[in-house]
Amino acid sequence: MNMKETLDKIEKSKQIPLMNAIIKEFANHGYQKASTNQMVKDAGISKGLLFHYFGNKKNMFEVAFVYVIRIVMDGLQESNYLEISDIFEFILHSMHTKVKVMKKHPDSYSFLLRVYNDNDPFVKDIIVKYKNEMVDEAWSSLIERADTYKFKDPNDIPLLLELITYASYGYIETNQKLLQDDIDAVIKNFEAYFIMLRKRFYKDEYL
């Protein structure tokens, strides 16, 4: 479902309160157990109007997912992350920026944690649908401007990015409690991991 087209249907004054209510409810209860009754209560609108905007619960969830990702991407763009050409600096800068954004939007952060821990087939499909699109776009952009001269072998760049991608999603799946309790500790763990990867992939003079 197209997020922009959906939001365009909603009065400007109602957009943020409504999206906040939807995100909060999905964050608290997951896709299956989220209550549309609670959403409309929190947003101060009728249930009929909610379904007029979104059609059904699946569309609500998909729009909420894209909306939260857009919040993160807007934060990254404001940080001028695309000007960074060192791969490790780019990824760490992106991670620190995402943490700042999520601390500013705690319900969005809780929503993403809930999403990645949700086993509902529809939720998994939404993650795959947008993850592949966003990850491929981000990595392609990074490869185009990466400091390839720092690598022992520039042909290893796709392998490095693949390792980081799998490590990141694996870490999310196995460290849910730490992600909830101490996101700064998670960043420190990744910084240590990247030191090891730099030694493996970079020439000595760029360590």
Side-chain angles (χ1 to χ4, degrees):
M1 188 174 191
N2 186 289
M3 183 187 76
K4 186 178 183 305
E5 289 179 2
T6 300
L7 294 182
D8 284 345
K9 297 178 187 176
I10 307 171
E11 291 178 36
K12 294 292 183 182
S13 62
K14 291 184 172 68
Q15 282 185 13
I16 293 178
L18 177 54
M19 291 310 302
N20 286 346
I22 292 171
I23 289 165
K24 182 178 180 179
E25 182 63 15
F26 280 130
N28 288 340
H29 301 289
Y31 171 68
Q32 286 289 352
K33 295 182 179 180
S35 167
T36 54
N37 290 330
Q38 188 62 47
M39 292 175 190
V40 297
K41 180 180 178 181
D42 290 344
I45 66 170
S46 70
K47 198 166 185 179
L49 194 55
L50 177 70
F51 282 94
H52 168 70
Y53 291 146
F54 295 94
N56 56 55
K57 192 175 178 182
K58 286 186 175 181
N59 289 340
M60 289 176 211
F61 182 86
E62 183 170 359
V63 169
F65 183 81
V66 176
Y67 187 89
V68 169
I69 295 301
R70 188 72 265 161
I71 289 173
V72 176
M73 295 307 298
D74 286 347
L76 286 170
Q77 289 171 3
E78 289 173 8
S79 74
N80 297 318
Y81 77 123
L82 291 176
E83 296 177 7
I84 302 172
S85 56
D86 181 284
I87 284 182
F88 291 102
E89 290 179 10
F90 170 85
I91 296 171
L92 284 174
H93 175 85
S94 298
M95 293 176 76
H96 282 289
T97 301
K98 288 174 184 176
V99 168
K100 289 179 183 177
V101 172
M102 292 297 97
K103 286 181 176 179
K104 187 177 178 181
H105 301 274
D107 284 336
S108 293
Y109 180 53
S110 297
F111 173 87
L112 288 177
L113 288 180
R114 173 76 71 168
V115 165
Y116 285 109
N117 203 35
D118 196 320
N119 291 319
D120 185 273
F122 169 71
V123 174
K124 293 297 184 187
D125 286 344
I126 291 296
I127 293 173
V128 171
K129 175 181 177 180
Y130 290 100
K131 181 186 75 173
N132 290 345
E133 177 183 322
M134 290 181 295
V135 169
D136 289 347
E137 182 180 340
W139 281 165
S140 296
S141 174
L142 180 55
I143 290 173
E144 287 177 3
R145 66 180 188 282
D147 294 333
T148 56
Y149 61 87
K150 295 180 178 180
F151 282 79
K152 295 174 183 175
D153 183 353
N155 292 322
D156 284 339
I157 293 176
L159 171 61
L160 170 63
L161 298 181
E162 186 175 338
L163 284 172
I164 292 172
T165 299
Y166 284 120
S168 298
Y169 285 104
Y171 195 95
I172 289 171
E173 289 182 4
T174 57
N175 291 275
Q176 287 288 316
K177 190 173 189 315
L178 186 59
L179 284 161
Q180 292 172 352
D181 298 342
D182 193 354
I183 186 62
D184 292 316
V186 172
I187 298 298
K188 288 182 180 179
N189 289 343
F190 269 97
E191 287 174 344
Y193 176 57
F194 285 167
I195 288 173
M196 179 183 68
L197 287 176
R198 286 178 79 102
K199 291 178 179 178
R200 162 63 180 83
F201 289 96
Y202 271 12
K203 297 173 184 176
D204 290 343
E205 59 264 37
Y206 297 111
L207 296 178

